[in-house]
């Protein structure tokens, strides 16, 4: 119980610190995605929204292909840092950037050369629709690569505590896109193609900003050209493939749905579908933001094999995301007339507003199940469970959804479409729950069983867990407790004594620094965790505190209060000692 208490407060604070930036970033990203459909309807016509709907699945497909490398390398980077492998983190950082540029150049070239053929596959039938959609795709294509680069860099910066800069980049991207796109579509002869060019210009400006921020930040990451091993590339792909595989499957499903809707309901049905999908994504984006925020923390805790910490963060992030999403969904539904106006949908127009309202209400009713699906996918990705993540990501909306659609669309038209979309998640989780109950021979499923943590995590718990409070006198008994523990583990008395003194002084240094910054409010009295493991005759220590960046191993930060004699002693006797700053946590890994 002591272990859970000392971990929970620190990790809960870290999650709360990172969540607002992630949620706002997800909101701005959602607005970014729906901006083109809005401007097309507001300035042009619903037929132009349909052309945006034709290109949307292409965007999903290309983004998924690129994010396999960008997202996978970001997750691998976080896991390396959690394990204290700075060299591996730099390799993953460099691998992500170089592979994104190489693959992105090929994809952009293909979109430029074969735009007409691509949009034809995704539902463009008439000559006018093909011409408009192809022009839009050609100008939008460079934004595919720039968007993936920006997403990868923002994920890396958020993981290193640079939430403010990531947030600024997200907001700037949205604002610039609206300004550029509106100016180009209104005051140039580009028409719908101006929307694509606006996206490209905004993404290019944000990329420059993020590179400057990364260069000036003390992340410890350095770009370099390495000779990468196939095993590293395979690991990166494996980490991100479940989520990105879901997007790939979504693109295929979207292609099928586009063609079915055009055949059965006409070209304007793509405009109805595009608007409802935009609204659905906007409602669910808050949950996506919580997922983005918790993913680096999952990776960090997985790297240090913190069993209870992982469960705590999953539980907190799920309920936090559910609450945020419910409030946001209520606000969106209450302001539905405003959103319809922004999309250019009005009574007596080409598209019936009642169809949009109907679709949004039905789909929104299933958002808790959609959020659970997303959060489990993020969790399984960050903890290297390829099979579970892929099953969770793909089954509901890429397999069950089209099957239900074939059954319900001919019977109920648009209502069948919306019900198929939502019921897919209900069917999946009912089947999953029944299977887990049968497997565990019990009608009750615990959090451990739901998360299916591997044995190396479940069995790896610290034999000594110390929580140091923000009052400095809380540091005073660390040495005594550590020495008593190590003596009991059979560690040589001199080694146990020196280790105890080193850890006490290191903790005192970090606590004193946090006090001087006045970084910790009164309600967060447990400032610092010290966890000791003894494995294979080695002492493994993990120290972390939730505060502003402070590296006690950096002697340039030395001051009058501490001479850091203990730190120097620890560096001399340790086989490995590493400092990292991740997710507003100062983390030190020591192996003695």
């Amino acid at each position: 119980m002591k272990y859970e208490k000392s971990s929970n407060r620190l990790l809960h604070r870290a999650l709360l610190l990172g969540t607002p930036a992630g949620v706002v970033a997800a909101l701005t990203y959602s607005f970014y995605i729906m901006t083109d459909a809005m401007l097309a309807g507001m300035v042009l016509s619903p037929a132009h929204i349909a052309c945006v709907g034709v290109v949307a699945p292409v965007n999903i497909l290309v983004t998924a292909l690129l994010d396999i490398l960008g997202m996978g390398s970001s997750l691998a980077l976080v896991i390396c840092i959690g394990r204290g492998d700075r060299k591996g983190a730099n390799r993953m950082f460099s691998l992500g950037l170089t592979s994104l540029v190489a693959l992105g150049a090929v994809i952009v070239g293909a979109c430029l050369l074969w735009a007409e053929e691509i949009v034809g596959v995704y539902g463009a039938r008439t000559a006018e629709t093909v011409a408009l959609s192809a022009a839009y795709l050609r100008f939008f294509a460079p934004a595919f690569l720039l968007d993936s680069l920006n997403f990868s860099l923002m994920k890396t910066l958020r993981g290193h505590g640079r939430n403010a800069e990531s947030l600024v980049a997200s907001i700037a991207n949205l604002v610039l896109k609206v300004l550029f796109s509106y100016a180009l579509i209104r005051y140039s002869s580009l028409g719908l193609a101006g929307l694509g060019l606006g996206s490209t210009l905004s993404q290019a400006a944000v990329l420059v900003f993020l590179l400057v921020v990364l260069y000036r930040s003390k992340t410890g990451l350095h770009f370099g050209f390495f000779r990468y091993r196939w095993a590293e590339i395979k690991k990166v792909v494996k980490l991100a493939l479940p989520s990105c595989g879901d997007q790939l499957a979504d693109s295929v499903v979207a292609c099928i749905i586009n063609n079915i809707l055009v055949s059965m309901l006409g070209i304007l049905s793509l405009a109805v579908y595009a608007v409802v999908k935009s609204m659905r994504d906007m409602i669910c984006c808050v949950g996506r933001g919580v997922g983005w925020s918790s993913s680096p923390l999952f990776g960090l805790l997985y790297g240090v094999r913190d069993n209870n910490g992982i469960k705590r963060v999953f539980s907190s992030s799920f309920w936090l995301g559910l609450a945020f999403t419910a409030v946001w969904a209520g606000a969106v539904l209450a302001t539905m007339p405003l959103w319809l106006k922004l999309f250019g949908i009005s009574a007596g127009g080409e598209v019936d507003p009642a169809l949009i309202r109907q679709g949004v209400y039905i789909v929104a009713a299933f958002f808790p199940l959609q959020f659970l699906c997303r959060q489990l996918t993020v969790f399984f990705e960050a903890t290297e469970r390829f099979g579970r993540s892929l099953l969770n990501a793909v089954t509901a909306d890429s397999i069950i959804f089209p099957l239900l659609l074939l059954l319900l669309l001919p019977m109920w038209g648009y209502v069948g479409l919306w019900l198929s979309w939502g019921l897919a998640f209900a069917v999946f989780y009912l089947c999953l729950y029944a299977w887990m109950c049968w497997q565990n021979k019990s009608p009750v499923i615990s959090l451990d069983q739901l998360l299916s943590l591997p044995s190396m995590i479940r069995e790896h718990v610290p034999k000594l867990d110390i929580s140091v409070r923000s009052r400095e006198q809380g540091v005073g008994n660390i040495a005594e407790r550590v020495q008593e523990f190590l003596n009991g583990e059979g560690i040589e008395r001199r080694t146990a004594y020196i280790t105890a003194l080193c850890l006490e002084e290191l903790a005192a240094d970090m606590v004193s620094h946090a006090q001087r910054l006045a970084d910790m409010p009164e309600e967060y009295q447990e400032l610092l965790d010290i966890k000791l493991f003894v494995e294979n005759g080695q002492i493994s220590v993990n120290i972390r505190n939730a505060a502003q960046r402070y590296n006690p191993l950096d002697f340039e930060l030395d001051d009058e209060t501490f001479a850091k004699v203990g730190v120097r002693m620890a560096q001399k006797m340790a086989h490995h000692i590493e400092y990292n700053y991740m997710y507003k946590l100062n983390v030190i890994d020591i192996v003695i």
Side-chain angles (χ1 to χ4, degrees), residues 77 86 90 93-94 97 149-150 152-162 165-166 169 206-223 549:
L77 185 156
R86 174 59 59 177
N90 282 325
F93 174 68
S94 302
L97 293 183
L149 285 170
N150 290 337
S152 179
L153 290 175
M154 283 192 282
K155 192 176 182 69
T156 299
L157 287 172
R158 281 197 301 270
H160 283 80
R162 297 289 179 175
E165 291 87 342
S166 177
V206 170
L207 177 61
V208 173
F209 170 76
L210 290 173
L211 290 174
V212 172
V213 170
L214 188 68
Y215 176 76
R216 301 183 61 174
S217 301
K218 296 180 180 179
T219 62
L221 295 174
H222 301 286
F223 177 81
R549 178 189 295 272

Side-chain angles (χ1 to χ4, degrees), residues 242-291:
S243 177
C244 297
D246 179 37
Q247 289 180 282
L248 291 171
D250 284 348
S251 177
V252 175
V253 171
C255 177
I256 296 171
I257 290 174
N258 277 5
N259 283 281
I260 292 174
L261 291 178
V262 170
S263 299
M264 296 182 62
L265 303 174
I267 188 66
L268 286 179
S269 64
L270 293 184
V272 175
Y273 183 63
V275 173
V276 173
K277 188 176 187 303
S278 296
M279 296 290 289
R280 191 284 301 259
D281 291 344
M282 183 174 61
I283 290 174
C284 295
C285 70
V286 174
R288 186 184 302 116
V290 175

Side-chain angles (χ1 to χ4, degrees), residues 22 40-41 65 69-70 81 105 115 175 191 217 245 260 319 361 415 426 440 445 455 464 493 508 516 524 534 591:
L65 290 172
L69 300 172
I81 290 178
V175 173
S217 301
I260 292 174
W319 291 111
Y361 285 130
V415 175
N440 294 287
I445 303 300
S455 59
L464 180 65
R493 294 186 65 84
R516 292 195 298 277
Y524 296 104
V534 177
V591 178

Side-chain angles (χ1 to χ4, degrees), residues 310-311 314 376 379-380 385 447-453:
I310 287 174
K311 290 186 289 186
F314 180 86
L376 282 171
F379 171 76
F380 289 133
R385 254 81 57 74
L447 183 59
D448 276 321
Q449 292 167 334
L450 178 65
L451 300 183
S452 302
L453 289 166

Side-chain angles (χ1 to χ4, degrees), residues 103 254 522:
L103 179 60
E522 278 298 316

